[in-house]
Amino acid sequence: MDNTYQNNSIVYLLLVIILILVAVLCYLVYRLLESGKTRKNIEEKFGLLEMKVGNLQLETLESKLNPHLFKNILNSIQSHAYQTYFALDKLANVLDYILYESQKKFVSPLEEIQFALNLIEINKIKVSPLFDLKVKTKINEGEKLYDQKLLAPLISIDLIENAFKHADLQSANAFISILFEFKDNCFYLTVSNKISEKKALKKERSGIGATTLEQRLKIIYKNQFKLDKFVENDIYVAHLKINLLEYKNQMFTT
C-alpha cells in the first residue's frame, strides 16, 4: 500500500509540474504574440511618422524650389528685352506646368521632358545664336511607363539651370549639351558644359538647387536612382538615371 501511495504521489506531482510547465509555456507564447503585435504596431506608426516627415521635408524643399526658378527665368527675360515676346510665349507654358502640374506628386516623363524643353528655350536667350548648344532627345515612346505619372515634377531643372549658370558662354570653344533619354522604363538626363574660367560670384543662397535635387531624389526614389557628377578636362558632366519600373514595383510591394 505504501508503495502504491508513493507511486500515486509521484504521478500527481509530475502531473502538477507538467501543468505548471504547460501554463508557463502558454503564458510565454501569449506574451510573445502580444510582443509581436506591439512591435508591428510600433513599426507601422514609425512608418507613418517617417512618411509624414518625408512629405514635410519635400514640401519644404519645393517651397524653396519654385521662387528660385522664377527668379532665374525673370532675370533672363529682363536682360534680353528684344526677345521678350518669344520668351514670354515659352514662359506661359512653363508657368502652367509650375502652377498646375508641379503641385501634383508625380507627372509623366513625357510632361517633364516637354517642360524642360520649354525651359531650355527660355535659357537660350542668355547666349549668342552662335553658341554651341546641343539639345537631343532619345525617346522610346512605346515604353509603357513613358506617359505614366511616376516622375517627380521639376526634377530636371536643377541640372539644366546649373549648366547655363556655370558654363563659359563667351569662349569660342564653350558649349552646353543636354540629352534626354527614356529607355527600358528608365528616365535619363545628361547635362555637360565647358566650365567658365571666371570665378562665379558667391551668393548668400547659392547652391540651393543642387542640394534640393539630391534631397528630393533620396526622399522619393531612395535607391532607385543614380546621380553622378564629375569634372574632366574643364568639362562638367552630370548624369541622372531614375529607374521608374523598379520604383513602381517598390510602390506596390510596400
Side-chain angles (χ1 to χ4, degrees):
M1 290 290 293
D2 290 340
N3 290 335
T4 303
Y5 178 76
Q6 288 180 351
N7 290 337
N8 290 337
S9 299
I10 294 172
V11 170
Y12 289 143
L13 180 61
L14 289 174
L15 286 174
V16 170
I17 293 173
I18 291 172
L19 288 174
I20 292 173
L21 290 175
V22 169
V24 171
L25 181 62
C26 290
Y27 177 76
L28 291 175
V29 170
Y30 170 77
R31 294 296 299 172
L32 183 62
L33 291 174
E34 287 296 313
S35 175
K37 291 179 182 178
T38 303
R39 181 179 177 183
K40 185 178 180 180
N41 290 335
I42 292 173
E43 288 177 350
E44 289 177 353
K45 290 180 180 179
F46 181 79
L48 290 174
L49 180 61
E50 188 179 35
M51 184 183 300
K52 289 180 180 179
V53 171
N55 289 336
L56 180 61
Q57 290 177 352
L58 198 56
E59 289 174 4
T60 303
L61 292 175
E62 288 172 348
S63 68
K64 294 179 180 178
L65 190 65
N66 290 353
H68 183 67
L69 174 62
F70 276 125
K71 183 178 178 182
N72 288 343
I73 292 174
L74 293 176
N75 285 344
S76 298
I77 294 174
Q78 185 179 14
S79 61
H80 294 80
Y82 65 91
Q83 291 183 352
T84 297
Y85 180 80
F86 175 79
L88 286 177
D89 181 56
K90 296 298 179 183
L91 180 59
N93 296 329
V94 169
L95 288 177
D96 282 342
Y97 188 86
I98 292 174
L99 293 174
Y100 301 109
E101 301 305 321
S102 71
Q103 302 307 313
K104 300 175 182 177
K105 187 173 183 179
F106 294 108
V107 298
S108 69
L110 170 63
E111 292 169 319
E112 178 68 12
I113 291 173
Q114 288 177 341
F115 157 76
L117 293 175
N118 280 318
L119 183 63
I120 292 169
E121 288 298 323
I122 294 174
N123 277 285
K124 282 172 70 173
I125 65 177
K126 297 179 181 179
V127 302
S128 164
L130 301 177
F131 182 79
D132 186 8
L133 173 61
K134 299 183 178 70
V135 182
K136 295 182 180 180
T137 57
K138 293 182 180 179
I139 308 296
N140 183 356
E141 296 184 0
E143 297 274 353
K144 62 180 181 180
L145 300 185
Y146 182 55
D147 58 357
Q148 291 191 25
K149 297 185 183 298
L150 294 167
L151 197 62
L154 307 178
I155 206 73
S156 59
I157 65 169
D158 294 314
L159 299 183
I160 295 172
E161 289 280 298
N162 188 68
F164 282 95
K165 180 179 179 181
H166 296 289
D168 187 346
L169 303 181
Q170 307 301 324
S171 175
N173 63 345
F175 75 92
I176 295 176
S177 174
I178 303 172
L179 172 62
F180 296 95
E181 295 180 272
F182 194 83
K183 59 183 180 180
D184 300 325
N185 292 307
C186 294
F187 172 83
Y188 298 87
L189 174 59
T190 304
V191 182
S192 57
N193 62 271
K194 177 78 173 179
I195 300 175
S196 174
E197 295 180 358
K198 299 177 182 178
K199 292 184 178 179
L201 293 176
K202 291 186 178 180
K203 298 182 180 180
E204 183 180 352
R205 296 178 65 83
S206 63
I208 289 178
T211 303
T212 298
L213 174 61
E214 293 192 40
Q215 289 177 342
R216 291 184 74 208
L217 288 168
K218 289 177 182 177
I219 291 172
I220 299 171
Y221 295 106
K222 295 181 175 61
N223 61 338
Q224 310 301 335
F225 81 95
K226 187 176 182 182
L227 178 61
D228 294 318
K229 301 177 184 179
F230 58 91
V231 177
E232 187 174 349
N233 298 326
D234 294 328
I235 296 174
Y236 180 86
V237 180
H239 179 70
L240 171 63
K241 173 188 176 182
I242 303 176
N243 192 321
L244 297 181
L245 182 58
E246 286 188 7
Y247 176 66
K248 183 178 181 179
N249 293 335
Q250 180 179 306
M251 288 175 63
F252 282 120
T253 56
T254 56

